[in-house]
Amino acid sequence: MRKVIVDINGGDNPPSEIINGAIDAVNRRDDLIVILAGQEKVINDTLANLAYPSDRVETLFCEQIVTNEDSPTSVLKQKKESSLIKGMQLLSNRDDIDGIICVGNTGAVLVSATFIVGRVNKCRPTLATKLPNSKGGYSILVDCGANVDCKEEHLIGFAHMGLEYAKALNISDNPKVALLSNGSEEKKGNELVKNTHQLLKEMQDINFVGNVEGSNCLSGNCDVIVSDGFAGNILLKNVEGTAKMIIKQMIAEVNNATDESEAKAIKKLIKRLMDKFDFNSQGGAIILGVNKLVLKAHGVADRTTISASIDMVCSLAENKLIDSIKASI
Amino acid sequence: MRKVIVDINGGDNPPSEIINGAIDAVNRRDDLIVILAGQEKVINDTLANLAYPSDRVETLFCEQIVTNEDSPTSVLKQKKESSLIKGMQLLSNRDDIDGIICVGNTGAVLVSATFIVGRVNKCRPTLATKLPNSKGGYSILVDCGANVDCKEEHLIGFAHMGLEYAKALNISDNPKVALLSNGSEEKKGNELVKNTHQLLKEMQDINFVGNVEGSNCLSGNCDVIVSDGFAGNILLKNVEGTAKMIIKQMIAEVNNATDESEAKAIKKLIKRLMDKFDFNSQGGAIILGVNKLVLKAHGVADRTTISASIDMVCSLAENKLIDSIKASI
């Protein structure tokens, strides 16, 4: 039986949307227990209108809420009764729980996971995400925003954790690991990247394929893209921003269509591309390097996303991602 | 009268393509003299087949060629007879020449411009480019790849030069300057960005609008995006890479069209988007911070691009970009 905590607070949608996503998952799979963390009245009122197996839905009532305005470190002291902190504590204390899904304040999720759930072998926890690629699959980007100032040893850690993550997602048995840089040649990069390149080259346990440029990150030629969290975040957000700009331009072209059938063809194409590049359904980012599975869903996460995120936690638990990371770093 | 040197060597196309672009420009505008720098036989053979005003086409014969394999610093000593080095020397020695267009080895162009044409007030020269934005205009990205390890004072210099460039391109009279970061909030960024943010905030002569995220670089909400050359290069190439991936996906959808008219509509849309996002026609990147106009066209530059790049040099010379930069830093 898999057990997953769902923090009902945070993100752009109301808690009822998150709760609905969790209930969808528990109704869909009979190997799952979900633990809803949040305000008693909100949870009870929402559940009152839903059908679900009551023996597989647990609750963790807590009345405080972490907002995007809270500074990540202050949360540990000032929001002790929040669904985020109480959820992390429960996750840390109980061996039978696989992971937690959070939608809110990324910094607060990262800090509470690091200090409450705890780090693996004193490593630097990192945030990894999936980028859709031209081959119809995904590549892992690690770090995508957690650690903006990095040293060589941090990037090496990200490489190890990213490749275990790629394996656990069944992206590849022997993931190709690349280093994000301003040129594919070995000598290209800032000091950090040039030094890390030399270290990765020497490592027997990493299938290092060299540098990858910003233009090739979506090519699918590598499975894991290693970066500091500053450049990684800019890359991730720019993929989304560029895709959005092009889609926006396409929508404008609907109005320039010469007839009804042309407009219809463009609309159909937009829908197909949006399904293809829907970052919302991809399960968000994961914190790697802590002792349990901690998933940070996108702020826009809806019912469908939450349900898919729970599947992802279950699948990563079955594939023993945490054990693999513990063994690798 | 405007005078522009064109280095016929480098890039993906043969020198004849570059020469044709230069001749197109000289035939199109009667205020222009072009100076073709390159091998005597190649220039003479190409010109023999072209019609042009012979009093406005000069030549600078030199037999060596700088390739992409040459290390940038070695070029100064080992390729003294190349079109690149000879061209830069001529540009530096003659007050009546406005600028040079180069297609090849970016590092070699940057090094030779810095050491031969010379720096403005001992500043750090930088590479700036135009990004198309959602508002139908352009935003300047500076640095897009020249300086991968930067200090605060370098980014401040890029901000000053970028805003003069935006003014000279008539993007705005009072360009909005933003700092590329992993979040829009003031406290977001790596150490370099956080420190630079505080300095830019204090500057009276810069219309600083705060941080810009990777997702908003194409929104047109800022006119100048300031970055170190590492993150800037990743951003620039990623815009191109993401756009290409989406176009590729659209091309694949032509085959999934249910009938001829749908396929035709998709093809028409692809063409319109490719015209819109054609980085090739945008005139390439410029080196800011040296004493003359040095334009580095994209490696794929063709006849049309070269001709457009010459227009750009003329326009920047008319708008006195170099004088503005000298006054600002």
Side-chain angles (χ1 to χ4, degrees):
Chain A
M1 191 63 78
R2 304 260 73 102
K3 286 193 193 173
V4 180
I5 303 171
V6 177
D7 176 359
I8 69 162
N9 293 303
D12 304 341
N13 287 306
S16 59
E17 181 82 11
I18 315 290
I19 297 171
N20 266 285
I23 297 303
D24 285 348
V26 91
N27 281 332
R28 198 165 32 76
R29 45 192 303 162
D30 51 18
D31 65 338
L32 173 68
I33 293 173
V34 292
I35 304 166
L36 300 171
Q39 308 86 285
E40 184 167 3
K41 186 172 174 355
V42 175
I43 292 175
N44 286 342
D45 286 358
T46 309
L47 288 182
N49 298 313
L50 299 173
Y52 59 90
S54 57
D55 58 327
R56 292 194 288 113
V57 176
E58 299 177 10
T59 53
L60 173 68
F61 295 134
C62 23
E63 300 305 317
Q64 269 190 320
I65 297 175
V66 170
T67 70
N68 274 332
E69 283 63 49
D70 288 318
S71 99
T73 44
S74 75
V75 165
L76 293 174
K77 286 192 173 175
Q78 288 163 22
K79 293 283 172 91
K80 282 182 180 169
E81 300 301 318
S82 65
S83 49
L84 178 65
I85 300 299
K86 285 285 187 188
M88 290 290 180
Q89 285 168 343
L90 189 71
L91 179 64
S92 177
N93 293 337
R94 270 177 48 185
D95 285 344
D96 61 327
I97 304 180
D98 296 301
I100 188 169
I101 315 270
C102 305
V103 183
N105 191 322
T106 308
V109 174
L110 188 68
V111 167
S112 56
T114 302
F115 289 96
I116 299 170
V117 179
R119 296 183 290 164
V120 174
N121 298 337
K122 297 186 181 168
C123 78
R124 177 80 75 111
T126 182
L127 206 57
T129 195
K130 294 191 286 179
L131 288 177
N133 66 41
S134 294
K135 294 186 176 167
Y138 293 95
S139 303
I140 301 304
L141 172 65
V142 54
D143 182 311
C144 67
N147 302 283
V148 291
D149 289 292
C150 291
K151 293 182 177 164
E152 289 77 358
E153 66 253 38
H154 301 140
L155 296 193
I156 299 292
F158 302 166
H160 276 115
M161 294 191 278
L163 86 82
E164 294 304 332
Y165 184 44
K167 279 195 225 169
L169 288 171
N170 301 317
I171 287 177
S172 166
D173 291 339
N174 184 22
K176 293 196 276 276
V177 176
L179 197 53
L180 184 62
S181 189
N182 60 313
S184 55
E185 306 91 332
E186 187 172 335
K187 64 188 177 187
K188 283 291 182 84
N190 53 19
E191 283 305 305
L192 173 68
V193 164
K194 283 191 281 191
N195 294 339
T196 307
H197 187 112
Q198 294 309 316
L199 295 170
L200 283 171
K201 247 176 65 173
E202 302 296 321
M203 305 193 104
Q204 299 298 323
D205 54 347
I206 292 182
N207 180 11
F208 180 55
V209 296
N211 292 348
V212 62
E213 297 182 273
S215 44
N216 285 322
C217 289
L218 307 181
S219 64
N221 292 338
C222 54
D223 303 305
V224 179
I225 299 163
V226 176
S227 171
D228 69 80
F230 184 78
N233 184 272
I234 287 166
L235 178 80
L236 172 65
K237 287 180 178 163
N238 184 59
V239 170
E240 295 179 15
T242 305
K244 265 188 201 163
M245 182 179 92
I246 296 175
I247 299 279
K248 202 173 152 186
Q249 197 64 37
M250 289 172 71
I251 292 170
E253 292 292 338
V254 172
N255 297 325
N256 294 331
T258 46
D259 58 36
E260 202 45 46
S261 78
E262 189 183 330
K264 209 174 138 191
I266 298 176
K267 281 186 205 164
K268 183 179 157 191
L269 182 65
I270 293 171
K271 187 175 178 323
R272 287 180 72 101
L273 291 179
M274 285 180 82
D275 287 347
K276 173 84 189 169
F277 300 113
D278 180 10
F279 289 88
N280 191 14
S281 68
Q282 309 309 338
I286 189 169
I287 297 175
L288 300 176
V290 293
N291 289 311
K292 288 287 179 81
L293 295 166
V294 178
L295 227 72
K296 166 63 184 77
H298 207 295
V300 298
D302 58 12
R303 179 175 180 162
T304 313
T305 320
I306 296 300
S307 181
S309 300
I310 292 172
D311 283 338
M312 191 166 145
V313 170
C314 293
S315 164
L316 293 173
E318 275 148 30
N319 288 342
K320 301 192 183 306
L321 172 60
I322 301 296
D323 291 345
S324 311
I325 287 180
K326 284 181 178 170
S328 85
I329 60 174
Chain B
M1 191 64 80
R2 304 261 72 102
K3 286 194 193 171
V4 180
I5 303 170
V6 177
D7 176 0
I8 69 161
N9 294 304
D12 305 341
N13 287 307
S16 59
E17 181 83 11
I18 315 290
I19 296 170
N20 266 286
I23 297 303
D24 286 347
V26 93
N27 281 331
R28 196 163 34 74
R29 45 191 304 161
D30 51 19
D31 65 339
L32 173 69
I33 293 174
V34 293
I35 304 166
L36 300 171
Q39 307 87 285
E40 183 167 4
K41 184 170 176 356
V42 174
I43 292 176
N44 286 341
D45 286 357
T46 309
L47 289 181
N49 298 313
L50 299 173
Y52 59 91
S54 56
D55 57 327
R56 293 194 287 112
V57 176
E58 300 179 9
T59 51
L60 172 68
F61 296 133
C62 22
E63 300 305 318
Q64 269 189 320
I65 297 175
V66 170
T67 69
N68 275 330
E69 283 63 48
D70 287 319
S71 99
T73 44
S74 75
V75 165
L76 293 175
K77 288 192 170 174
Q78 288 162 21
K79 295 282 171 94
K80 282 182 182 170
E81 300 301 319
S82 64
S83 50
L84 178 67
I85 299 300
K86 286 284 187 189
M88 290 290 179
Q89 285 167 344
L90 188 71
L91 178 65
S92 177
N93 294 338
R94 269 177 48 186
D95 285 343
D96 61 328
I97 304 180
D98 297 300
I100 187 169
I101 316 267
C102 306
V103 184
N105 191 324
T106 308
V109 174
L110 187 69
V111 167
S112 57
T114 302
F115 289 96
I116 299 170
V117 180
R119 294 183 291 164
V120 173
N121 297 338
K122 296 185 181 168
C123 78
R124 176 82 75 110
T126 182
L127 205 58
T129 195
K130 294 192 285 178
L131 288 177
N133 66 41
S134 294
K135 295 185 175 166
Y138 292 96
S139 303
I140 301 304
L141 173 65
V142 53
D143 181 313
C144 67
N147 302 285
V148 292
D149 289 292
C150 291
K151 292 181 178 166
E152 288 77 358
E153 67 253 36
H154 301 139
L155 296 193
I156 300 292
F158 302 166
H160 277 116
M161 295 191 276
L163 85 82
E164 295 304 334
Y165 185 44
K167 280 194 224 168
L169 287 171
N170 302 318
I171 287 177
S172 165
D173 291 340
N174 184 22
K176 292 195 277 277
V177 176
L179 197 53
L180 183 62
S181 189
N182 60 312
S184 56
E185 306 91 330
E186 187 172 334
K187 64 187 177 187
K188 283 290 180 86
N190 54 20
E191 283 305 306
L192 172 69
V193 165
K194 283 189 283 190
N195 294 338
T196 307
H197 187 111
Q198 293 310 315
L199 296 170
L200 284 171
K201 247 175 66 174
E202 302 297 320
M203 304 192 104
Q204 300 296 325
D205 54 347
I206 292 182
N207 181 11
F208 180 55
V209 296
N211 293 346
V212 62
E213 297 183 272
S215 45
N216 285 323
C217 289
L218 307 181
S219 65
N221 293 338
C222 54
D223 304 305
V224 180
I225 299 164
V226 176
S227 170
D228 68 80
F230 184 78
N233 183 273
I234 288 167
L235 179 81
L236 172 66
K237 288 180 178 163
N238 185 59
V239 170
E240 296 178 16
T242 304
K244 266 188 201 163
M245 183 178 92
I246 295 175
I247 300 278
K248 201 173 153 187
Q249 197 65 36
M250 289 171 71
I251 292 169
E253 292 292 337
V254 172
N255 298 324
N256 294 331
T258 46
D259 57 36
E260 203 43 48
S261 78
E262 189 183 330
K264 209 174 138 191
I266 298 176
K267 281 185 205 164
K268 182 178 157 192
L269 182 65
I270 293 171
K271 189 179 174 323
R272 287 180 72 101
L273 292 179
M274 284 178 82
D275 287 346
K276 173 84 190 167
F277 300 114
D278 180 9
F279 290 88
N280 191 15
S281 68
Q282 308 310 339
I286 189 168
I287 296 175
L288 299 175
V290 294
N291 289 311
K292 289 285 180 82
L293 295 166
V294 178
L295 226 71
K296 166 63 184 76
H298 206 295
V300 299
D302 58 14
R303 178 175 182 161
T304 313
T305 319
I306 296 300
S307 182
S309 299
I310 291 171
D311 284 337
M312 191 164 146
V313 170
C314 294
S315 164
L316 293 173
E318 276 148 28
N319 289 341
K320 302 195 182 305
L321 173 60
I322 300 296
D323 291 344
S324 311
I325 287 179
K326 283 180 179 171
S328 85
I329 58 174

